[in-house]
Every structure is written in structure tokens, then in C-alpha cells.
Amino acid sequence: QVQLVESGGGLVQPGGSLRLSCAASGSIFTINHIGWSRQAPGKQREMVAVISRDGRTDYEDSVKGRFTISRDVAKNTVYLQMNSLQPEDTAVYYCYAISPNLVWGQGTQVTVSS
């Protein structure tokens, strides 16, 4: 089993930055992909970024060039560095892993507002 705990969300002004962290525990060796999704009120949940076991990454078009997903193997942690944040980025951000079953964290709120 894999457990995921997100942190790093908060309130930031437009143009600001946040770094989200996702700490994984349990059967980490079973994880094939780990990434981030988000859901704003009244909107569909969408994938934001994902990193595979071999280090390949993929991003949703609207965050390309602004967000970076990375990992720290020693800390069993995945990060999402978010720069140039916009109000449209406001959402609950969820860490997820495929291990090989789909596992979700509880989410962390990101609010971009002046």
C-alpha cells in the first residue's frame, strides 16, 4: 500500500510562486507514475503534471513553462514548483500515484488572489 501526504498550499498573489510537496510512504517501490491533479469548484478534475519511474515528465498545456515536477528519491518526495501563478490556477491540488493501483492524497488548497 502507498500513502500520500501533500503540503505547501496556501494563499499567493498573482505572479507569485508556491512549491507543493507530496511525501510517499508504504510500498514506494510499486509506484510507476506519480503526479499532480487539480480541481476547482464546479470544474472537472484535470491532470497537471506527472513523472514516471524513469524520470520522464508531462504537463498540461496551460502550465507548461510555469510548473515543474521533480522528485527527491532519498526523501521519497515529489514536488511541484509553481511559478507565475494566476487566478485560474486556484484549485485543490491532489497528489496521485499509480502503484499500480490509483492512490490519491487528501489534497492541498492553492488560492491565487490579490
Side-chain angles (χ1 to χ4, degrees), residues 4 7 11 14 18 21 28 32 46 52 68 87 99 107 109:
L4 305 172
S7 62
L11 175 64
L18 285 173
S21 299
I28 298 170
N32 296 315
E46 64 178 356
S52 63
T68 302
S99 66
Q109 177 71 48

Side-chain angles (χ1 to χ4, degrees), residues 59-105:
Y59 298 91
E60 195 274 328
D61 286 343
S62 69
V63 308
K64 288 181 179 178
R66 300 190 297 121
F67 290 11
T68 302
I69 188 169
S70 62
R71 61 186 178 182
D72 186 330
V73 176
K75 295 182 178 180
N76 297 325
T77 300
V78 172
Y79 304 97
L80 185 67
Q81 179 66 46
M82 305 185 295
N83 298 326
S84 301
L85 283 162
Q86 305 166 15
E88 307 88 79
D89 296 315
T90 295
V92 177
Y93 283 71
Y94 298 90
C95 182
Y96 73 91
I98 302 173
S99 66
N101 297 324
L102 182 62
V103 179
W104 295 92

